[in-house]
Amino acid sequence: MTTVDEHDLIFAGVALQARLVRDREVSPRELVALHLERIARLDPVLNAFRVVLADRAMAEAAHVERRLAAGETMPLAGVPIAVKDDTDVAGVSSMCGTGIDTGPASTDSAAVRRLRAAGAVIVGKTHLPEFGAYPMCESPTWGVTRNPWHPHRTAGGSSGGSAAAVAAGMVPGALGTDGGGSIRIPAACCGLVGLKGQRGWISTKQSPERAYRFHGLHHIGTLARSVADAALLHDAMTGPEPDDEIPFPPPVPPLTDAVSRAPRPLRIAMSFKPVVPVPVSEEVRRPVLETAELLRSLGHEVVELDPRYPPAAVLSVFALMMNGLAHEIDRLPTPELLERRIRAEGRTARLVPDWLARRALAARDRLSERGLRPVAGCDMLMTPVLGKPPVPVGHLEGLGPGRALARTLAFMPFTPPQNFTGQPAMSIPAGISPDGLPEAVHLVGRPHDGSTLVSLAAQLESARPWAHRQPPAARYRAPA
């Protein structure tokens, strides 16, 4: 076993763990076993995992050892990774937060296949709300996923299980998906880096029996403790696949190349304008203002400018989301087993015909350009991630679709536009509040410019380190 302290190893992060494996300081089986033990200890409290693949993970770790012995070089050699339960892993059902089992996936999704090729070991699949429809990771079937910083607050969603697992040190990194902020929101709630790249950089292709139909709103991305780790995981999954839903955009240099490169002086638009008219609390405004001062001290210009959210664009996002939800529900053998609120949403979703979704899709580029025109002269947009701090567990309990939507929009009014425009965006930590909850800011890059986004985020991390912060998860007992 390595001479590195076990606790330090758990929180070493993706890149350092992979390096320790390559340097023979720790074996893949030792590393995976250490994280499986931590999952066994903490997951009964936090409820991050839908299924833990312990035996398979140990077998995969042994396979990685044989690849290393044969001289293969792998950027993620032996690193344990969790996968959100809407993304296919061969031989495991993708429950998508529901209680409906449509059978095990016949193959890995493209993203998971690429992670394995890079040497990652898949240790399990993580919770989400039904179909990722809400930004809180709670469902009637699988219960509540707890925030490792405060077990009575939401871990965010919909990639809440992945975020809780990384924040608590159950894995050093995880795959998440983002259809309107579902990586960035839980990253903000759990004190992590949440990276959603440019639309099309990571293929959303699933096993042959499954296909996403969310019209390009759905992105696959990463959750990790540092910018470098998030970029490394993202790079491992990047690349086109035959018959992709979204054509692969022009190739870009690896995002990891940008981590150690300081950005040139940038012009950054700071905005507190939400996509819908909801209050924005002082608790989430303050970290953005403090980050603006830090950016100015680093030589950047920060100006207050708002993007425009045309009503037609907001309606288009709604139409695409609802039409996609209707198609997801229609593929289920027993939709009557869905929670009551999702069944009601499904009835509304079926009112959005395919032709209307196609029309919204055709107008996407034009509406995106119009909305971004006010900030077109800037290199970056900075906003809060959330409209308020992480809400208590049960925030939507007992609410019908209308009231739940109102509360949802009040919580997440800044992240959906980037799924429509396709821009790269990320949530980065910005400190700890007096209540002991993580604070965050939201950085949005220009279309296709992930390098500047990652470079700026890494510069902020260097000036205001955060990866060393750890939640008190190991001391948790089950909440009353």
Side-chain angles (χ1 to χ4, degrees):
M1 184 66 176
T2 177
T3 56
V4 179
D5 177 82
E6 286 190 0
H7 186 84
D8 291 343
L9 181 59
I10 282 170
F11 287 99
V14 174
L16 181 52
Q17 285 191 358
R19 192 184 80 195
L20 290 169
V21 168
R22 291 193 299 269
D23 292 345
R24 307 299 196 268
E25 291 289 326
V26 63
S27 75
R29 278 183 287 184
E30 288 170 336
L31 184 60
V32 170
L34 182 64
H35 281 278
L36 288 172
E37 185 279 330
R38 189 166 177 85
I39 291 170
R41 182 157 51 89
L42 294 183
D43 200 54
V45 175
L46 296 175
N47 191 34
F49 283 87
R50 202 271 297 173
V51 60
V52 179
L53 305 171
D55 292 341
R56 283 182 52 170
M58 291 303 295
E60 284 181 34
H63 179 61
V64 172
E65 289 181 8
R66 291 192 292 272
R67 291 169 66 186
L68 288 167
E72 190 172 346
T73 300
M74 293 167 279
L76 300 177
V79 177
I81 298 296
V83 173
K84 186 177 177 182
D85 198 25
D86 63 352
T87 305
D88 286 345
V89 171
V92 185
S93 299
S94 291
M95 303 289 283
C96 298
T98 75
I100 303 170
D101 190 344
T102 57
S106 60
T107 63
D108 286 335
S109 63
V112 170
R113 187 181 73 248
R114 289 173 182 269
L115 286 173
R116 289 196 207 272
V121 175
I122 307 304
V123 297
K125 302 196 74 181
T126 56
H127 285 310
L128 65 154
E130 287 195 351
F131 292 122
Y134 293 100
M136 300 89 184
C137 196
E138 305 171 27
S139 75
T141 303
W142 305 109
V144 173
T145 296
R146 304 277 172 178
N147 190 323
W149 290 91
H150 194 308
H152 298 290
R153 297 282 183 147
T154 184
S158 62
S159 305
S162 287
V166 176
M170 290 190 273
V171 286
L175 179 154
T177 60
D178 191 312
S182 291
I183 288 171
R184 293 160 286 161
I185 292 164
C189 291
C190 294
L192 301 174
V193 175
L195 172 59
K196 180 201 80 69
Q198 175 73 30
R199 176 170 36 239
W201 280 352
I202 296 176
S203 172
T204 58
K205 193 170 185 178
Q206 298 274 31
S207 56
E209 60 271 18
R210 287 190 64 221
Y212 280 122
R213 299 186 182 181
F214 280 100
H215 310 291
L217 295 177
H218 181 93
H219 296 59
I220 290 176
T222 62
L223 293 122
R225 305 186 67 80
S226 72
V227 175
D229 286 351
L232 180 60
L233 286 172
H234 187 282
D235 284 349
M237 293 187 283
T238 299
E241 291 286 324
D243 304 317
D244 263 340
E245 177 197 15
I246 304 299
F248 190 68
V252 294
L255 295 182
T256 48
D257 290 352
V259 172
S260 58
R261 185 175 64 242
R264 59 178 171 78
L266 303 176
R267 189 168 191 257
I268 299 165
M270 178 175 64
S271 174
F272 298 100
K273 180 183 179 182
V275 67
V276 291
V278 297
V280 178
S281 76
E282 184 58 33
E283 292 97 325
V284 300
R285 290 172 59 95
R286 178 178 45 76
V288 176
L289 292 169
E290 291 174 351
T291 302
E293 289 305 309
L294 176 58
L295 287 166
R296 292 184 180 108
S297 74
L298 294 170
H300 304 292
E301 179 187 7
V302 182
V303 295
E304 290 201 45
L305 283 175
D306 295 326
R308 184 183 299 119
Y309 302 116
V314 177
L315 291 173
S316 292
V317 172
F318 179 79
L320 294 173
M321 281 184 169
M322 296 305 280
N323 183 260
L325 177 63
H327 280 291
E328 285 292 296
I329 291 175
D330 285 346
R331 72 176 178 82
L332 295 175
T334 52
E336 66 275 9
L337 297 181
L338 294 171
E339 64 174 292
R340 183 172 60 180
R341 187 166 57 217
I342 294 296
R343 294 201 306 271
E345 286 201 7
R347 291 191 290 272
T348 302
R350 289 187 182 90
L351 300 177
V352 180
D354 289 349
W355 66 262
L356 185 58
R358 289 193 296 270
R359 179 178 293 182
L361 201 57
R364 183 177 63 198
D365 290 348
R366 173 176 54 82
L367 292 172
S368 296
E369 188 278 330
R370 189 197 310 174
L372 295 175
R373 199 175 297 157
V375 296
C378 295
D379 301 292
M380 196 80 56
L381 172 66
M382 180 173 64
T383 75
V385 182
L386 309 171
K388 61 181 73 175
V391 295
V393 164
H395 190 61
L396 304 181
E397 187 71 30
L399 300 183
R403 292 176 64 198
L405 177 61
R407 285 198 179 182
T408 294
L409 291 174
F411 184 55
M412 50 165 286
F414 292 101
T415 53
Q418 295 77 44
N419 296 83
F420 187 67
T421 64
Q423 292 165 270
M426 61 197 305
S427 171
I428 62 171
I432 302 295
S433 75
D435 294 334
L437 292 168
E439 298 176 326
V441 297
H442 186 216
L443 299 178
V444 181
R446 293 169 65 92
H448 304 284
D449 186 8
S451 294
T452 303
L453 174 69
V454 167
S455 179
L456 181 65
Q459 185 184 45
L460 285 170
E461 182 179 23
S462 179
R464 184 178 59 193
W466 59 65
H468 63 284
R469 293 195 178 102
Q470 300 170 13
R475 299 196 301 270
Y476 283 171
R477 299 293 181 268

